[in-house]
Amino acid sequence: MDRIFSGVQPTGNLHLGNYLGAIRNWVKLQEGHECLFCVVDLHAITVWQEPEDLRRATREVAAALIACGIDAERHVLFNQSRVRAHAQLAWIFNCVARIGWLNRMTQFKEKAGKDRENASVGLYAYPNLMAADILAYKANMVPVGEDQKQHLELARDIAQKFNHDYKVALFPDIRPLILGEATRVMSLRDGTKKMSKSDASDASRINMTDHADQIADKIKRAKTDPHPLPDDVTALEARPEARNLVGIYAALTDRAVADVLAEHAGTGFAAFKRALTDVTVSVLEPIAIRMRELLAHPERVDAVLKRGAERAGAIADPVLAEVEEVVGFLRP
Ligand code: TRP
């Protein structure tokens, strides 16, 4: 059976874009695959995190995943720092990956910005840790967003170079599963920008924990244009805000955009936004309720993560031992 690994950062608020672009797909992938889902706290500290915020965000993201339907009994849900193999294998990969490879990573350039000298070494080596996440489990399928494609290619290069240098066939080839191309959720204030947790305006996004009235309010105030909905998908191309709202509606109702247009063509945005509010609330409300229940008992979330880490460690430890043997570490 294919083994899936994916990771999510424990930073800030999860929003509708995370749900439609990633989490919902993870939930579906649980059928027919063995899955490991990891809250990547080691990756989070590549940029400064207030310790209490990090702890809270780690719990919140875990609770959100469970509330969205990740089955932590049948699959494995844990936080990265609890399984030592990640950091240990990452060190070995630091010695496999080449500086030239990392220098090509566009995300580092974006995140480090102008003051590159002052970025943490961890931010630079971030992709090596990501490769370790995946390969510590010999996972061969990795669902990620478009922005992580380059990191996955690097992970494949690391696996190949390791196998080649040590003349082994230890690591599998990694199959990227690029998610969310069809359901890129854009900001409610600007249809050309991705919905983002770091947008200064909270009105630009729908958070997983927003209440029904907040959702209604944000959708009501979402930017649109004065024209009614067209009957043809191509007519949406020049209307990014309209396209975004129709896309969200289609994703939430599991229908094609063309299908939604066929039903709502000629409708004005006032009415369409009411329909969109109804479907958004009907999907997010039960998740938010479950999330609040879980977070009212943080010890239950912690227990799930603890058990997950034990099960993850049981898979990763033998792989790490195999790697250490191949590398030539004396293991007396
Ligand atoms: N870097 C990924 C992100 O920011 C998160 C991540 C960490 C990840 N390790 C991973 C994703 C391993 C897939 C596989 O989205």
Side-chain angles (χ1 to χ4, degrees):
M1 200 183 339
D2 287 313
R3 181 177 282 163
I4 288 183
F5 185 98
S6 201
V8 58
Q9 295 241 16
T11 42
N13 275 340
L14 287 180
H15 53 70
L16 188 63
N18 302 120
Y19 178 69
L20 291 176
I23 302 173
R24 194 174 65 140
N25 296 293
W26 291 7
V27 172
K28 289 182 185 161
L29 286 168
Q30 294 182 113
E31 218 47 64
H33 303 97
E34 178 192 354
C35 303
L36 293 124
F37 299 114
C38 182
V39 185
V40 294
D41 47 6
L42 296 174
H43 276 107
I45 62 162
T46 56
V47 295
W48 173 253
Q49 304 294 325
E50 287 299 334
E52 269 320 310
D53 292 346
L54 177 60
R55 223 181 320 269
R56 179 163 24 83
T58 303
R59 251 190 216 119
E60 272 176 21
V61 168
L65 294 178
I66 298 166
C68 288
I70 294 298
D71 183 344
E73 297 284 319
R74 278 173 52 221
H75 300 278
V76 182
L77 173 65
F78 67 108
N79 58 317
Q80 192 182 23
S81 62
R82 295 305 85 208
V83 180
R84 303 296 179 189
H86 293 252
Q88 291 170 340
L89 187 58
W91 176 259
I92 295 172
F93 286 172
N94 284 344
C95 304
V96 174
R98 307 288 92 183
I99 289 179
W101 299 359
L102 289 178
N103 283 344
R104 286 195 285 275
M105 295 295 114
T106 53
Q107 194 172 74
F108 174 74
K109 291 178 200 166
E110 279 162 27
K111 284 198 182 173
K114 282 192 285 289
D115 195 9
R116 204 182 291 190
E117 295 286 305
N118 201 32
S120 74
V121 175
L123 189 66
Y124 186 67
Y126 180 114
N128 297 348
L129 176 59
M130 188 164 154
D133 296 342
I134 300 161
L135 293 167
Y137 304 92
K138 296 189 181 178
N140 61 336
M141 270 172 80
V142 184
V144 287
E146 186 73 31
D147 62 328
Q148 297 299 314
K149 221 163 131 178
Q150 199 185 28
H151 290 162
L152 278 197
E153 275 154 24
L154 188 97
R156 288 171 93 166
D157 290 344
I158 290 176
Q160 267 171 27
K161 183 166 165 57
F162 183 96
N163 285 348
H164 176 267
D165 289 355
Y166 291 102
K167 301 186 180 56
V168 288
L170 203 159
F171 292 121
D173 195 25
I174 298 168
R175 192 144 44 97
L177 220 64
I178 305 301
L179 299 176
E181 277 163 323
T183 50
R184 246 170 95 91
V185 179
M186 311 307 279
S187 156
L188 298 180
R189 311 299 301 169
D190 176 352
T192 64
K193 277 193 346 203
K194 253 173 80 171
M195 185 176 282
S196 160
K197 59 175 182 247
S198 50
D199 195 311
S201 162
D202 192 59
S204 72
R205 65 184 157 260
I206 294 172
N207 301 305
M208 299 289 292
T209 47
D210 280 349
H211 290 271
D213 50 344
Q214 287 170 297
I215 294 173
D217 188 53
K218 286 177 181 177
I219 292 178
K220 200 165 161 190
R221 286 159 55 204
K223 191 173 160 196
T224 39
D225 55 47
H227 310 293
L229 287 176
D231 56 8
D232 178 47
V233 181
T234 54
L236 282 177
E237 269 160 31
R239 299 168 64 185
E241 283 81 19
R243 187 183 48 191
N244 187 35
L245 296 186
V246 175
I248 292 173
Y249 188 98
L252 284 170
T253 53
D254 255 321
R255 290 161 62 191
V257 169
D259 219 35
V260 174
L261 289 182
E263 188 188 325
H264 293 271
T267 311
F269 269 98
F272 185 71
K273 281 175 163 182
R274 282 195 292 275
L276 178 60
T277 300
D278 289 345
V279 301
T280 309
V281 170
S282 74
V283 172
L284 289 191
E285 183 95 301
I287 295 175
I289 290 172
R290 278 198 294 276
M291 223 180 126
R292 281 194 282 274
E293 281 166 8
L294 280 162
L295 291 172
H297 303 281
E299 72 286 352
R300 291 187 199 160
V301 180
D302 293 8
V304 170
L305 289 174
K306 183 167 189 220
R307 175 88 190 100
E310 284 160 8
R311 290 165 59 206
I315 304 173
D317 289 344
V319 176
L320 187 68
E322 199 183 349
V323 171
E324 289 178 329
E325 193 64 37
V326 163
V327 169
F329 292 160
L330 182 64
R331 303 171 58 239

